[in-house]
Amino acid sequence: MNPGLLIRLLILLLVSAPAALAQEQGKPQQAQSKQDKIKSLEIAYISRELDLTPEEAQKFWPLYNKYTREVNELIAERKRRAQELKGKPRTDDKVAEAALDKELGYEKRMIDIKTRYKQEFLKAIPARKVGILYRSEREFRNMMIRQMKERRENKMMRRQNKPN
């Protein structure tokens, strides 16, 4: 595929994704649709960055899907735990220390997942591309966070400038 066309498509998707994210928050089906759009954008971004051969892609994508499933399960577990603790006082040092240990446990498990999959990825793609993969994930996440922050700031500015 033409790299220029892919870049334009990615930019178009990145520009339209925030608008889709802003519409009707709270509806589970729409939330899933938004997550699917973001996931599609991420896959397009990673695909462009990795520039996989057909053979590499055939080995890589099923593995990457397993990897992201494990990462997402850990993130969901962490969020559930955070919701359970939300509003509970942490004035007791033992409770606070247990919460810290739990958080460090999640971080260790994330590193374990990434370390294990690094070895699996190396069987499918060269080390150079594994490094690009991890970098691309960070870049994409940072790009989405930056875009969401800008949208939030723009929304606040529109509210401030709106006549009463």
Side-chain angles (χ1 to χ4, degrees):
M1 179 179 264
N2 179 345
L5 179 62
L6 185 60
I7 289 170
R8 285 190 293 261
L9 177 62
L10 182 61
I11 290 170
L12 176 65
L13 289 172
L14 285 172
V15 169
S16 64
L21 288 173
Q23 295 175 357
E24 298 183 38
Q25 301 261 341
K27 293 188 179 180
Q29 188 176 22
Q30 287 180 335
Q32 184 62 44
S33 174
K34 292 170 194 169
Q35 289 174 346
D36 291 345
K37 286 179 183 178
I38 291 171
K39 188 65 183 166
S40 295
L41 290 171
E42 182 179 27
I43 289 170
Y45 185 80
I46 289 171
S47 293
R48 189 191 86 222
E49 294 295 310
L50 290 181
D51 192 27
L52 299 173
T53 66
E55 297 80 23
E56 289 172 337
Q58 187 176 11
K59 293 176 186 175
F60 171 77
W61 286 111
L63 192 56
Y64 184 74
N65 291 336
K66 271 181 62 180
Y67 160 75
T68 55
R69 215 173 4 263
E70 282 190 47
V71 166
N72 289 337
E73 286 171 6
L74 181 60
I75 291 169
E77 181 183 332
R78 184 186 228 174
K79 284 181 181 178
R80 280 192 302 273
R81 176 72 176 151
Q83 285 298 323
E84 291 171 8
L85 294 175
K86 199 172 189 175
K88 292 185 180 179
R90 294 188 188 180
T91 54
D92 180 8
D93 281 339
K94 288 185 180 190
V95 172
E97 186 175 353
L100 286 170
D101 289 343
K102 193 74 168 175
E103 182 60 28
L104 289 174
Y106 286 123
E107 289 182 26
K108 182 186 180 315
R109 287 170 55 198
M110 184 65 76
I111 290 171
D112 291 345
I113 291 170
K114 288 185 176 201
T115 302
R116 182 167 29 93
Y117 275 94
K118 176 196 129 204
Q119 296 305 316
E120 294 299 316
F121 289 142
L122 286 171
K123 294 174 186 174
I125 59 177
R128 164 181 57 81
K129 290 186 179 184
V130 175
I132 292 170
L133 167 66
Y134 288 138
R135 186 199 75 224
S136 297
E137 285 182 314
R138 278 191 313 275
E139 287 174 352
F140 181 81
R141 191 171 33 255
N142 289 339
M143 194 169 33
M144 292 304 294
I145 290 169
R146 197 172 38 254
Q147 202 171 61
M148 289 171 64
K149 183 179 177 183
E150 287 172 8
R151 288 190 66 253
R152 195 176 318 119
E153 289 171 357
N154 288 340
K155 190 175 182 179
M156 287 174 28
M157 287 177 65
R158 283 192 305 268
R159 283 183 185 162
Q160 289 173 353
N161 293 334
K162 194 176 190 180
N164 291 345

